[in-house]
Amino acid sequence: MATKQTITLKTVLHSIQEAGTVFSLKFRKLDGSTSYKPEVKKNPTAVRPESTGGTKDLGTIRRNMKGAGALLLFDCRAKQTFEAKVELLMEFNGMTIFHNY
């Protein structure tokens, strides 16, 4: 029996930030139920140029994400945004996420 591949949380978070990346995600919701989204990408409207003309850099995005502890993502099939708590992520592209804090 083959064991499921694992991936580190750091690698998952890095992969999610790459523009245009579509992936599958399994995570627990706050109510304890499990959700699986087969086609997800980072929310394309989450990072927009600031009104002053600048853009948010990766460091700013990471600080905001870490502070909130959640990812704002886009479900490609349902065509809607949703939020997933970083600590409740379970699988990324079929690989078990290893939370190596």
Side-chain angles (χ1 to χ4, degrees):
M1 179 192 261
T3 58
K4 188 176 274 195
Q5 283 186 307
T6 60
I7 186 169
T8 64
L9 180 62
K10 179 180 178 181
T11 302
V12 169
L13 295 176
H14 178 75
S15 298
I16 288 171
Q17 293 303 321
E18 293 181 22
T21 302
V22 177
F23 51 92
S24 67
L25 194 66
K26 184 177 180 181
F27 58 97
R28 283 192 314 275
K29 296 181 184 180
L30 293 177
D31 65 5
S33 64
T34 301
S35 181
Y36 174 75
K37 307 274 186 184
E39 293 180 34
V40 176
K41 61 184 176 180
K42 74 176 185 176
N43 185 6
T45 60
V47 181
R48 291 252 188 230
E50 299 295 323
S51 58
T52 58
T55 59
K56 289 186 178 180
D57 63 0
L58 188 56
T60 302
I61 295 166
R62 282 191 180 131
R63 281 191 298 278
N64 292 346
M65 188 174 65
K66 186 173 182 177
L71 298 169
L72 187 58
L73 302 169
F74 182 76
D75 183 333
C76 298
R77 291 191 178 177
K79 302 211 183 312
Q80 63 185 23
T81 58
F82 69 98
E83 193 174 272
K85 292 287 188 185
V86 172
E87 69 269 14
L88 300 179
L89 299 179
M90 299 167 62
E91 291 181 9
F92 176 80
N93 287 337
M95 295 177 279
T96 301
I97 298 172
F98 175 61
H99 291 262
N100 52 333
Y101 297 108

